[in-house]
Amino acid sequence: MAGTSSARIVLVVVSGVLALIGSAQAQLQMNFYASSCPKAEQIVLDYVKQNIPNAPSLAASFLRMHFHDCIVRGCDASVLLNSTSGQVEKNAVPNRTLRGFDFIERVKSLLEAECPGVVSCADILALVARDSVLTTGDPFWNVPTGRRDGVISNITEANANIPSPFHNFTTLLTLFSNQGLNLTDLVLLSGGHTIGISHCPAVSRRLYNSTGAGGIDPTMDSEYAENLKANKCKTASDNTTILDMDPGSRKTFDLSYYSLLLKRRGLFQSDAALTTDSTSLAFINQLLTSSPQFFFDEFAKAMEKMGRVNVKTGSEGQIRKQCALVNN
Ligand code: HEM
Ligand SMILES: *[C@@H]1O[C@H](CO)[C@@H](O)[C@H](O)[C@H]1NC(C)=O
Ligand SMILES: *[C@@H]1O[C@H](CO)[C@@H](O)[C@H](O)[C@H]1NC(C)=O
Ligand SMILES: *[C@@H]1O[C@H](CO)[C@@H](O)[C@H](O)[C@H]1NC(C)=O
Ligand SMILES: *[C@@H]1O[C@H](CO)[C@@H](O)[C@H](O)[C@H]1NC(C)=O
Ligand SMILES: *[C@@H]1O[C@H](CO)[C@@H](O)[C@H](O)[C@H]1NC(C)=O
Ligand SMILES: *[C@@H]1O[C@H](CO)[C@@H](O)[C@H](O)[C@H]1NC(C)=O
Ligand SMILES: CC(=O)N[C@H]1CO[C@H](CO)[C@@H](O)[C@@H]1O
């Protein structure tokens, strides 16, 4: 009896240690490429610093691209893959407005020249997103590295997992929870909408096809809605006009996104939805009554957490040679 149970304890201890080793291997770490490609992170940063000032609007696109990558099959650069079938994530509705794929590919080619086959596209995207947002001033977040690239990209999964601007709070929280992200992460990461642009189709329904007067969504500030109809989305079918996500402050990472939400001037139903849940609303109020630095610090934690979603590490996946193509 005693022999069996001590053997059992040994087994438990041994498997515990193995699990620890396993999970240690499976973790991202700061400066993962320190010995395999010491200049990697500097090369990314230099390229971003040199080129984002010529195309500053790409910073927002990379932040969004990183999110779309992580929320479908984990942060594995699946969003970057091309296909001849037109059935990859890139082709999914929410991805049609992503910009900057060629920029990522150019960073990749610099890193392939420096250390071939070492730095993953998933890490490159995570670093480019962080470094390019930092060109707006704030915030900074840690990007532990060691992600590996996936080999599958599937349009159906992108359409199913990427939240839509028409989703309500329950659906948004479900989609985030499916990836191990919680309500706090949902509110903080939605704060990414403090920078960048959108197009009319994401908001037309709220302007032209809702239950309120003139087809306006009654949960949207009517003055804001009338203004968008008069000056931006002049017809219900406009699919080209660009809108600021955070009018007046789309280039600055700040709290104004949350202030607008309380004024019922969130652009999408999904933005407005954050005020429909009492816990979420209380957190928005907390953000607004704290210093911007509190938002930056919390946002940074949420970004680091998002960057760990279902990552492939160790010997999983591969290190692509080109970000748009699986190695053959
Ligand atoms: C919560 C659910 C979310 C929904 C429903 C959503 C939806 C959208 C939509 C519809 C656009 C406009 C696309 C266009 O028409 O061009 C957009 C833009 C953007 N989103 Fe989100 N998003 C969500 C969460 C996030 C998160 C978590 C981040 C990053 C942390 C993010 C960052 C951005 C950025 C930076 C833009 C501007 C992109 C640009 O300027 O090209 N979004 N989002
Ligand atoms: C894409 O994913 C969907 C849903 O998981 C699955 O039914 C479909 O077979 C996948 N497509 C391919 C080409 O693997
Ligand atoms: C949210 O949307 C889902 C899917 O459209 C729907 O089933 C659900 O009833 C909605 N929830 C609320 C609270 O409106
Ligand atoms: C969400 O997770 C973070 C840790 O990642 C935690 O600090 C926060 O309290 C959680 N929020 C909720 C609503 O559970
Ligand atoms: C208006 O909304 C209804 C119900 O949501 C939908 O069936 C219809 O297709 C929409 N019309 C337009 C022009 O978007
Ligand atoms: C915009 O709408 C026009 C006319 O309906 C259509 O031909 C075009 O493909 C649409 N463009 C996009 C980007 O969806
Ligand atoms: C991937 O597709 C884009 C857009 O169609 C194209 O510009 C790019 O050259 C392709 N990349 C590769 C490596 O084939
Ligand atoms: C950036 C990108 O790849 N956009 C594609 C999104 O999907 C549409 C339609 O499937 C393609 O035409 C775009 O090229």
mmCIF file with all atom_site columns, all heavy atoms in Angstrom, residues 138-162:
data_model
loop_
_atom_site.group_PDB
_atom_site.id
_atom_site.type_symbol
_atom_site.label_atom_id
_atom_site.label_alt_id
_atom_site.label_comp_id
_atom_site.label_asym_id
_atom_site.label_entity_id
_atom_site.label_seq_id
_atom_site.pdbx_PDB_ins_code
_atom_site.Cartn_x
_atom_site.Cartn_y
_atom_site.Cartn_z
_atom_site.occupancy
_atom_site.B_iso_or_equiv
_atom_site.pdbx_formal_charge
_atom_site.auth_seq_id
_atom_site.auth_comp_id
_atom_site.auth_asym_id
_atom_site.auth_atom_id
_atom_site.pdbx_PDB_model_num
ATOM 1   N N   . ASP A 1 138 ? 2.156   57.126 -27.308 1.00 0.00 ? 138 ASP A N   1
ATOM 2   C CA  . ASP A 1 138 ? 1.844   56.123 -26.299 1.00 0.00 ? 138 ASP A CA  1
ATOM 3   C C   . ASP A 1 138 ? 0.873   55.137 -26.921 1.00 0.00 ? 138 ASP A C   1
ATOM 4   O O   . ASP A 1 138 ? 0.295   55.428 -27.945 1.00 0.00 ? 138 ASP A O   1
ATOM 5   C CB  . ASP A 1 138 ? 1.154   56.796 -25.090 1.00 0.00 ? 138 ASP A CB  1
ATOM 6   C CG  . ASP A 1 138 ? 2.166   57.383 -24.120 1.00 0.00 ? 138 ASP A CG  1
ATOM 7   O OD1 . ASP A 1 138 ? 2.971   56.619 -23.606 1.00 0.00 ? 138 ASP A OD1 1
ATOM 8   O OD2 . ASP A 1 138 ? 2.114   58.615 -23.906 1.00 0.00 ? 138 ASP A OD2 1
ATOM 9   N N   . PRO A 1 139 ? 0.588   54.056 -26.264 1.00 0.00 ? 139 PRO A N   1
ATOM 10  C CA  . PRO A 1 139 ? 1.281   53.451 -25.140 1.00 0.00 ? 139 PRO A CA  1
ATOM 11  C C   . PRO A 1 139 ? 2.349   52.468 -25.610 1.00 0.00 ? 139 PRO A C   1
ATOM 12  O O   . PRO A 1 139 ? 2.401   52.125 -26.785 1.00 0.00 ? 139 PRO A O   1
ATOM 13  C CB  . PRO A 1 139 ? 0.150   52.690 -24.438 1.00 0.00 ? 139 PRO A CB  1
ATOM 14  C CG  . PRO A 1 139 ? -0.749  52.275 -25.558 1.00 0.00 ? 139 PRO A CG  1
ATOM 15  C CD  . PRO A 1 139 ? -0.619  53.321 -26.636 1.00 0.00 ? 139 PRO A CD  1
ATOM 16  N N   . PHE A 1 140 ? 3.167   52.025 -24.659 1.00 0.00 ? 140 PHE A N   1
ATOM 17  C CA  . PHE A 1 140 ? 4.161   50.982 -24.926 1.00 0.00 ? 140 PHE A CA  1
ATOM 18  C C   . PHE A 1 140 ? 3.702   49.699 -24.247 1.00 0.00 ? 140 PHE A C   1
ATOM 19  O O   . PHE A 1 140 ? 3.187   49.743 -23.142 1.00 0.00 ? 140 PHE A O   1
ATOM 20  C CB  . PHE A 1 140 ? 5.511   51.401 -24.339 1.00 0.00 ? 140 PHE A CB  1
ATOM 21  C CG  . PHE A 1 140 ? 6.565   50.334 -24.450 1.00 0.00 ? 140 PHE A CG  1
ATOM 22  C CD1 . PHE A 1 140 ? 7.345   50.226 -25.587 1.00 0.00 ? 140 PHE A CD1 1
ATOM 23  C CD2 . PHE A 1 140 ? 6.768   49.426 -23.413 1.00 0.00 ? 140 PHE A CD2 1
ATOM 24  C CE1 . PHE A 1 140 ? 8.325   49.230 -25.698 1.00 0.00 ? 140 PHE A CE1 1
ATOM 25  C CE2 . PHE A 1 140 ? 7.733   48.421 -23.518 1.00 0.00 ? 140 PHE A CE2 1
ATOM 26  C CZ  . PHE A 1 140 ? 8.511   48.328 -24.670 1.00 0.00 ? 140 PHE A CZ  1
ATOM 27  N N   . TRP A 1 141 ? 3.834   48.578 -24.914 1.00 0.00 ? 141 TRP A N   1
ATOM 28  C CA  . TRP A 1 141 ? 3.596   47.308 -24.218 1.00 0.00 ? 141 TRP A CA  1
ATOM 29  C C   . TRP A 1 141 ? 4.712   46.324 -24.538 1.00 0.00 ? 141 TRP A C   1
ATOM 30  O O   . TRP A 1 141 ? 5.381   46.442 -25.568 1.00 0.00 ? 141 TRP A O   1
ATOM 31  C CB  . TRP A 1 141 ? 2.214   46.715 -24.567 1.00 0.00 ? 141 TRP A CB  1
ATOM 32  C CG  . TRP A 1 141 ? 1.978   46.395 -26.016 1.00 0.00 ? 141 TRP A CG  1
ATOM 33  C CD1 . TRP A 1 141 ? 2.222   45.214 -26.665 1.00 0.00 ? 141 TRP A CD1 1
ATOM 34  C CD2 . TRP A 1 141 ? 1.403   47.264 -27.009 1.00 0.00 ? 141 TRP A CD2 1
ATOM 35  N NE1 . TRP A 1 141 ? 1.850   45.299 -27.989 1.00 0.00 ? 141 TRP A NE1 1
ATOM 36  C CE2 . TRP A 1 141 ? 1.340   46.547 -28.225 1.00 0.00 ? 141 TRP A CE2 1
ATOM 37  C CE3 . TRP A 1 141 ? 0.944   48.599 -26.988 1.00 0.00 ? 141 TRP A CE3 1
ATOM 38  C CZ2 . TRP A 1 141 ? 0.837   47.103 -29.405 1.00 0.00 ? 141 TRP A CZ2 1
ATOM 39  C CZ3 . TRP A 1 141 ? 0.441   49.154 -28.171 1.00 0.00 ? 141 TRP A CZ3 1
ATOM 40  C CH2 . TRP A 1 141 ? 0.391   48.401 -29.355 1.00 0.00 ? 141 TRP A CH2 1
ATOM 41  N N   . ASN A 1 142 ? 4.927   45.395 -23.618 1.00 0.00 ? 142 ASN A N   1
ATOM 42  C CA  . ASN A 1 142 ? 5.941   44.381 -23.828 1.00 0.00 ? 142 ASN A CA  1
ATOM 43  C C   . ASN A 1 142 ? 5.493   43.397 -24.888 1.00 0.00 ? 142 ASN A C   1
ATOM 44  O O   . ASN A 1 142 ? 4.317   43.011 -24.916 1.00 0.00 ? 142 ASN A O   1
ATOM 45  C CB  . ASN A 1 142 ? 6.189   43.592 -22.536 1.00 0.00 ? 142 ASN A CB  1
ATOM 46  C CG  . ASN A 1 142 ? 7.006   44.392 -21.543 1.00 0.00 ? 142 ASN A CG  1
ATOM 47  O OD1 . ASN A 1 142 ? 7.909   45.141 -21.932 1.00 0.00 ? 142 ASN A OD1 1
ATOM 48  N ND2 . ASN A 1 142 ? 6.695   44.247 -20.274 1.00 0.00 ? 142 ASN A ND2 1
ATOM 49  N N   . VAL A 1 143 ? 6.423   42.997 -25.733 1.00 0.00 ? 143 VAL A N   1
ATOM 50  C CA  . VAL A 1 143 ? 6.133   41.950 -26.708 1.00 0.00 ? 143 VAL A CA  1
ATOM 51  C C   . VAL A 1 143 ? 7.114   40.803 -26.500 1.00 0.00 ? 143 VAL A C   1
ATOM 52  O O   . VAL A 1 143 ? 8.197   40.792 -27.102 1.00 0.00 ? 143 VAL A O   1
ATOM 53  C CB  . VAL A 1 143 ? 6.212   42.473 -28.158 1.00 0.00 ? 143 VAL A CB  1
ATOM 54  C CG1 . VAL A 1 143 ? 5.961   41.334 -29.149 1.00 0.00 ? 143 VAL A CG1 1
ATOM 55  C CG2 . VAL A 1 143 ? 5.215   43.595 -28.396 1.00 0.00 ? 143 VAL A CG2 1
ATOM 56  N N   . PRO A 1 144 ? 6.767   39.865 -25.612 1.00 0.00 ? 144 PRO A N   1
ATOM 57  C CA  . PRO A 1 144 ? 7.579   38.663 -25.536 1.00 0.00 ? 144 PRO A CA  1
ATOM 58  C C   . PRO A 1 144 ? 7.493   37.949 -26.881 1.00 0.00 ? 144 PRO A C   1
ATOM 59  O O   . PRO A 1 144 ? 6.459   38.061 -27.566 1.00 0.00 ? 144 PRO A O   1
ATOM 60  C CB  . PRO A 1 144 ? 6.937   37.843 -24.416 1.00 0.00 ? 144 PRO A CB  1
ATOM 61  C CG  . PRO A 1 144 ? 5.633   38.483 -24.099 1.00 0.00 ? 144 PRO A CG  1
ATOM 62  C CD  . PRO A 1 144 ? 5.614   39.843 -24.718 1.00 0.00 ? 144 PRO A CD  1
ATOM 63  N N   . THR A 1 145 ? 8.571   37.286 -27.276 1.00 0.00 ? 145 THR A N   1
ATOM 64  C CA  . THR A 1 145 ? 8.608   36.673 -28.608 1.00 0.00 ? 145 THR A CA  1
ATOM 65  C C   . THR A 1 145 ? 8.840   35.161 -28.516 1.00 0.00 ? 145 THR A C   1
ATOM 66  O O   . THR A 1 145 ? 8.986   34.620 -27.427 1.00 0.00 ? 145 THR A O   1
ATOM 67  C CB  . THR A 1 145 ? 9.692   37.350 -29.467 1.00 0.00 ? 145 THR A CB  1
ATOM 68  O OG1 . THR A 1 145 ? 10.848  37.589 -28.653 1.00 0.00 ? 145 THR A OG1 1
ATOM 69  C CG2 . THR A 1 145 ? 9.204   38.659 -30.031 1.00 0.00 ? 145 THR A CG2 1
ATOM 70  N N   . GLY A 1 146 ? 8.871   34.516 -29.667 1.00 0.00 ? 146 GLY A N   1
ATOM 71  C CA  . GLY A 1 146 ? 9.007   33.067 -29.718 1.00 0.00 ? 146 GLY A CA  1
ATOM 72  C C   . GLY A 1 146 ? 7.793   32.401 -30.353 1.00 0.00 ? 146 GLY A C   1
ATOM 73  O O   . GLY A 1 146 ? 7.664   31.181 -30.326 1.00 0.00 ? 146 GLY A O   1
ATOM 74  N N   . ARG A 1 147 ? 6.912   33.227 -30.924 1.00 0.00 ? 147 ARG A N   1
ATOM 75  C CA  . ARG A 1 147 ? 5.762   32.670 -31.650 1.00 0.00 ? 147 ARG A CA  1
ATOM 76  C C   . ARG A 1 147 ? 6.259   31.963 -32.904 1.00 0.00 ? 147 ARG A C   1
ATOM 77  O O   . ARG A 1 147 ? 7.264   32.383 -33.492 1.00 0.00 ? 147 ARG A O   1
ATOM 78  C CB  . ARG A 1 147 ? 4.810   33.790 -32.101 1.00 0.00 ? 147 ARG A CB  1
ATOM 79  C CG  . ARG A 1 147 ? 4.130   34.538 -30.991 1.00 0.00 ? 147 ARG A CG  1
ATOM 80  C CD  . ARG A 1 147 ? 3.411   35.783 -31.525 1.00 0.00 ? 147 ARG A CD  1
ATOM 81  N NE  . ARG A 1 147 ? 2.957   36.622 -30.429 1.00 0.00 ? 147 ARG A NE  1
ATOM 82  C CZ  . ARG A 1 147 ? 3.748   37.437 -29.740 1.00 0.00 ? 147 ARG A CZ  1
ATOM 83  N NH1 . ARG A 1 147 ? 5.021   37.562 -30.070 1.00 0.00 ? 147 ARG A NH1 1
ATOM 84  N NH2 . ARG A 1 147 ? 3.266   38.115 -28.731 1.00 0.00 ? 147 ARG A NH2 1
ATOM 85  N N   . ARG A 1 148 ? 5.532   30.942 -33.322 1.00 0.00 ? 148 ARG A N   1
ATOM 86  C CA  . ARG A 1 148 ? 5.835   30.331 -34.606 1.00 0.00 ? 148 ARG A CA  1
ATOM 87  C C   . ARG A 1 148 ? 4.637   30.478 -35.539 1.00 0.00 ? 148 ARG A C   1
ATOM 88  O O   . ARG A 1 148 ? 3.536   30.774 -35.097 1.00 0.00 ? 148 ARG A O   1
ATOM 89  C CB  . ARG A 1 148 ? 6.256   28.875 -34.403 1.00 0.00 ? 148 ARG A CB  1
ATOM 90  C CG  . ARG A 1 148 ? 7.624   28.857 -33.691 1.00 0.00 ? 148 ARG A CG  1
ATOM 91  C CD  . ARG A 1 148 ? 8.109   27.499 -33.343 1.00 0.00 ? 148 ARG A CD  1
ATOM 92  N NE  . ARG A 1 148 ? 8.241   26.596 -34.473 1.00 0.00 ? 148 ARG A NE  1
ATOM 93  C CZ  . ARG A 1 148 ? 9.346   26.429 -35.193 1.00 0.00 ? 148 ARG A CZ  1
ATOM 94  N NH1 . ARG A 1 148 ? 10.435  27.132 -34.935 1.00 0.00 ? 148 ARG A NH1 1
ATOM 95  N NH2 . ARG A 1 148 ? 9.385   25.564 -36.182 1.00 0.00 ? 148 ARG A NH2 1
ATOM 96  N N   . ASP A 1 149 ? 4.898   30.319 -36.824 1.00 0.00 ? 149 ASP A N   1
ATOM 97  C CA  . ASP A 1 149 ? 3.864   30.603 -37.820 1.00 0.00 ? 149 ASP A CA  1
ATOM 98  C C   . ASP A 1 149 ? 3.000   29.385 -38.110 1.00 0.00 ? 149 ASP A C   1
ATOM 99  O O   . ASP A 1 149 ? 3.499   28.266 -38.225 1.00 0.00 ? 149 ASP A O   1
ATOM 100 C CB  . ASP A 1 149 ? 4.527   31.059 -39.127 1.00 0.00 ? 149 ASP A CB  1
ATOM 101 C CG  . ASP A 1 149 ? 5.326   32.336 -38.945 1.00 0.00 ? 149 ASP A CG  1
ATOM 102 O OD1 . ASP A 1 149 ? 4.901   33.193 -38.131 1.00 0.00 ? 149 ASP A OD1 1
ATOM 103 O OD2 . ASP A 1 149 ? 6.378   32.488 -39.608 1.00 0.00 ? 149 ASP A OD2 1
ATOM 104 N N   . GLY A 1 150 ? 1.713   29.648 -38.278 1.00 0.00 ? 150 GLY A N   1
ATOM 105 C CA  . GLY A 1 150 ? 0.780   28.587 -38.629 1.00 0.00 ? 150 GLY A CA  1
ATOM 106 C C   . GLY A 1 150 ? 0.839   28.281 -40.115 1.00 0.00 ? 150 GLY A C   1
ATOM 107 O O   . GLY A 1 150 ? 1.451   29.014 -40.897 1.00 0.00 ? 150 GLY A O   1
ATOM 108 N N   . VAL A 1 151 ? 0.191   27.205 -40.485 1.00 0.00 ? 151 VAL A N   1
ATOM 109 C CA  . VAL A 1 151 ? 0.179   26.817 -41.904 1.00 0.00 ? 151 VAL A CA  1
ATOM 110 C C   . VAL A 1 151 ? -1.244  26.820 -42.465 1.00 0.00 ? 151 VAL A C   1
ATOM 111 O O   . VAL A 1 151 ? -1.453  26.518 -43.632 1.00 0.00 ? 151 VAL A O   1
ATOM 112 C CB  . VAL A 1 151 ? 0.824   25.424 -42.124 1.00 0.00 ? 151 VAL A CB  1
ATOM 113 C CG1 . VAL A 1 151 ? 2.291   25.462 -41.724 1.00 0.00 ? 151 VAL A CG1 1
ATOM 114 C CG2 . VAL A 1 151 ? 0.097   24.339 -41.335 1.00 0.00 ? 151 VAL A CG2 1
ATOM 115 N N   . ILE A 1 152 ? -2.211  27.162 -41.607 1.00 0.00 ? 152 ILE A N   1
ATOM 116 C CA  . ILE A 1 152 ? -3.604  27.143 -42.050 1.00 0.00 ? 152 ILE A CA  1
ATOM 117 C C   . ILE A 1 152 ? -4.210  28.530 -41.924 1.00 0.00 ? 152 ILE A C   1
ATOM 118 O O   . ILE A 1 152 ? -4.004  29.214 -40.919 1.00 0.00 ? 152 ILE A O   1
ATOM 119 C CB  . ILE A 1 152 ? -4.429  26.148 -41.195 1.00 0.00 ? 152 ILE A CB  1
ATOM 120 C CG1 . ILE A 1 152 ? -3.908  24.728 -41.399 1.00 0.00 ? 152 ILE A CG1 1
ATOM 121 C CG2 . ILE A 1 152 ? -5.922  26.241 -41.519 1.00 0.00 ? 152 ILE A CG2 1
ATOM 122 C CD1 . ILE A 1 152 ? -4.530  23.716 -40.454 1.00 0.00 ? 152 ILE A CD1 1
ATOM 123 N N   . SER A 1 153 ? -4.932  28.934 -42.951 1.00 0.00 ? 153 SER A N   1
ATOM 124 C CA  . SER A 1 153 ? -5.679  30.183 -42.908 1.00 0.00 ? 153 SER A CA  1
ATOM 125 C C   . SER A 1 153 ? -7.014  29.915 -43.567 1.00 0.00 ? 153 SER A C   1
ATOM 126 O O   . SER A 1 153 ? -7.057  29.438 -44.702 1.00 0.00 ? 153 SER A O   1
ATOM 127 C CB  . SER A 1 153 ? -4.894  31.274 -43.647 1.00 0.00 ? 153 SER A CB  1
ATOM 128 O OG  . SER A 1 153 ? -5.571  32.505 -43.561 1.00 0.00 ? 153 SER A OG  1
ATOM 129 N N   . ASN A 1 154 ? -8.088  30.198 -42.851 1.00 0.00 ? 154 ASN A N   1
ATOM 130 C CA  . ASN A 1 154 ? -9.402  29.716 -43.278 1.00 0.00 ? 154 ASN A CA  1
ATOM 131 C C   . ASN A 1 154 ? -10.428 30.844 -43.176 1.00 0.00 ? 154 ASN A C   1
ATOM 132 O O   . ASN A 1 154 ? -10.704 31.351 -42.087 1.00 0.00 ? 154 ASN A O   1
ATOM 133 C CB  . ASN A 1 154 ? -9.755  28.527 -42.359 1.00 0.00 ? 154 ASN A CB  1
ATOM 134 C CG  . ASN A 1 154 ? -11.113 27.932 -42.631 1.00 0.00 ? 154 ASN A CG  1
ATOM 135 O OD1 . ASN A 1 154 ? -12.057 28.637 -42.948 1.00 0.00 ? 154 ASN A OD1 1
ATOM 136 N ND2 . ASN A 1 154 ? -11.217 26.625 -42.482 1.00 0.00 ? 154 ASN A ND2 1
ATOM 137 N N   . ILE A 1 155 ? -11.003 31.227 -44.293 1.00 0.00 ? 155 ILE A N   1
ATOM 138 C CA  . ILE A 1 155 ? -11.935 32.356 -44.339 1.00 0.00 ? 155 ILE A CA  1
ATOM 139 C C   . ILE A 1 155 ? -13.138 32.157 -43.431 1.00 0.00 ? 155 ILE A C   1
ATOM 140 O O   . ILE A 1 155 ? -13.612 33.108 -42.787 1.00 0.00 ? 155 ILE A O   1
ATOM 141 C CB  . ILE A 1 155 ? -12.383 32.614 -45.808 1.00 0.00 ? 155 ILE A CB  1
ATOM 142 C CG1 . ILE A 1 155 ? -13.224 33.886 -45.919 1.00 0.00 ? 155 ILE A CG1 1
ATOM 143 C CG2 . ILE A 1 155 ? -13.146 31.434 -46.379 1.00 0.00 ? 155 ILE A CG2 1
ATOM 144 C CD1 . ILE A 1 155 ? -13.552 34.300 -47.344 1.00 0.00 ? 155 ILE A CD1 1
ATOM 145 N N   . THR A 1 156 ? -13.623 30.912 -43.330 1.00 0.00 ? 156 THR A N   1
ATOM 146 C CA  . THR A 1 156 ? -14.812 30.634 -42.507 1.00 0.00 ? 156 THR A CA  1
ATOM 147 C C   . THR A 1 156 ? -14.517 30.937 -41.040 1.00 0.00 ? 156 THR A C   1
ATOM 148 O O   . THR A 1 156 ? -15.348 31.508 -40.325 1.00 0.00 ? 156 THR A O   1
ATOM 149 C CB  . THR A 1 156 ? -15.216 29.148 -42.625 1.00 0.00 ? 156 THR A CB  1
ATOM 150 O OG1 . THR A 1 156 ? -15.182 28.789 -43.999 1.00 0.00 ? 156 THR A OG1 1
ATOM 151 C CG2 . THR A 1 156 ? -16.589 28.895 -42.057 1.00 0.00 ? 156 THR A CG2 1
ATOM 152 N N   . GLU A 1 157 ? -13.328 30.551 -40.601 1.00 0.00 ? 157 GLU A N   1
ATOM 153 C CA  . GLU A 1 157 ? -12.957 30.796 -39.202 1.00 0.00 ? 157 GLU A CA  1
ATOM 154 C C   . GLU A 1 157 ? -12.815 32.291 -38.923 1.00 0.00 ? 157 GLU A C   1
ATOM 155 O O   . GLU A 1 157 ? -13.163 32.755 -37.845 1.00 0.00 ? 157 GLU A O   1
ATOM 156 C CB  . GLU A 1 157 ? -11.641 30.074 -38.881 1.00 0.00 ? 157 GLU A CB  1
ATOM 157 C CG  . GLU A 1 157 ? -11.797 28.570 -38.911 1.00 0.00 ? 157 GLU A CG  1
ATOM 158 C CD  . GLU A 1 157 ? -10.480 27.818 -38.727 1.00 0.00 ? 157 GLU A CD  1
ATOM 159 O OE1 . GLU A 1 157 ? -9.412  28.465 -38.696 1.00 0.00 ? 157 GLU A OE1 1
ATOM 160 O OE2 . GLU A 1 157 ? -10.542 26.591 -38.623 1.00 0.00 ? 157 GLU A OE2 1
ATOM 161 N N   . ALA A 1 158 ? -12.304 33.021 -39.902 1.00 0.00 ? 158 ALA A N   1
ATOM 162 C CA  . ALA A 1 158 ? -12.175 34.470 -39.713 1.00 0.00 ? 158 ALA A CA  1
ATOM 163 C C   . ALA A 1 158 ? -13.553 35.103 -39.581 1.00 0.00 ? 158 ALA A C   1
ATOM 164 O O   . ALA A 1 158 ? -13.811 35.897 -38.677 1.00 0.00 ? 158 ALA A O   1
ATOM 165 C CB  . ALA A 1 158 ? -11.398 35.094 -40.860 1.00 0.00 ? 158 ALA A CB  1
ATOM 166 N N   . ASN A 1 159 ? -14.458 34.723 -40.463 1.00 0.00 ? 159 ASN A N   1
ATOM 167 C CA  . ASN A 1 159 ? -15.802 35.302 -40.401 1.00 0.00 ? 159 ASN A CA  1
ATOM 168 C C   . ASN A 1 159 ? -16.513 34.928 -39.096 1.00 0.00 ? 159 ASN A C   1
ATOM 169 O O   . ASN A 1 159 ? -17.310 35.701 -38.579 1.00 0.00 ? 159 ASN A O   1
ATOM 170 C CB  . ASN A 1 159 ? -16.635 34.873 -41.612 1.00 0.00 ? 159 ASN A CB  1
ATOM 171 C CG  . ASN A 1 159 ? -16.262 35.677 -42.856 1.00 0.00 ? 159 ASN A CG  1
ATOM 172 O OD1 . ASN A 1 159 ? -15.967 36.870 -42.775 1.00 0.00 ? 159 ASN A OD1 1
ATOM 173 N ND2 . ASN A 1 159 ? -16.249 35.038 -44.009 1.00 0.00 ? 159 ASN A ND2 1
ATOM 174 N N   . ALA A 1 160 ? -16.214 33.748 -38.566 1.00 0.00 ? 160 ALA A N   1
ATOM 175 C CA  . ALA A 1 160 ? -16.892 33.302 -37.351 1.00 0.00 ? 160 ALA A CA  1
ATOM 176 C C   . ALA A 1 160 ? -16.293 33.915 -36.083 1.00 0.00 ? 160 ALA A C   1
ATOM 177 O O   . ALA A 1 160 ? -16.993 34.124 -35.098 1.00 0.00 ? 160 ALA A O   1
ATOM 178 C CB  . ALA A 1 160 ? -16.836 31.775 -37.254 1.00 0.00 ? 160 ALA A CB  1
ATOM 179 N N   . ASN A 1 161 ? -15.012 34.209 -36.085 1.00 0.00 ? 161 ASN A N   1
ATOM 180 C CA  . ASN A 1 161 ? -14.343 34.619 -34.844 1.00 0.00 ? 161 ASN A CA  1
ATOM 181 C C   . ASN A 1 161 ? -14.092 36.111 -34.701 1.00 0.00 ? 161 ASN A C   1
ATOM 182 O O   . ASN A 1 161 ? -13.946 36.610 -33.589 1.00 0.00 ? 161 ASN A O   1
ATOM 183 C CB  . ASN A 1 161 ? -13.000 33.883 -34.704 1.00 0.00 ? 161 ASN A CB  1
ATOM 184 C CG  . ASN A 1 161 ? -13.195 32.413 -34.408 1.00 0.00 ? 161 ASN A CG  1
ATOM 185 O OD1 . ASN A 1 161 ? -13.792 32.046 -33.410 1.00 0.00 ? 161 ASN A OD1 1
ATOM 186 N ND2 . ASN A 1 161 ? -12.744 31.556 -35.304 1.00 0.00 ? 161 ASN A ND2 1
ATOM 187 N N   . ILE A 1 162 ? -13.972 36.811 -35.807 1.00 0.00 ? 162 ILE A N   1
ATOM 188 C CA  . ILE A 1 162 ? -13.694 38.244 -35.715 1.00 0.00 ? 162 ILE A CA  1
ATOM 189 C C   . ILE A 1 162 ? -15.003 38.968 -35.412 1.00 0.00 ? 162 ILE A C   1
ATOM 190 O O   . ILE A 1 162 ? -15.994 38.777 -36.107 1.00 0.00 ? 162 ILE A O   1
ATOM 191 C CB  . ILE A 1 162 ? -13.066 38.772 -37.022 1.00 0.00 ? 162 ILE A CB  1
ATOM 192 C CG1 . ILE A 1 162 ? -11.729 38.064 -37.274 1.00 0.00 ? 162 ILE A CG1 1
ATOM 193 C CG2 . ILE A 1 162 ? -12.868 40.277 -36.953 1.00 0.00 ? 162 ILE A CG2 1
ATOM 194 C CD1 . ILE A 1 162 ? -11.102 38.383 -38.614 1.00 0.00 ? 162 ILE A CD1 1
#
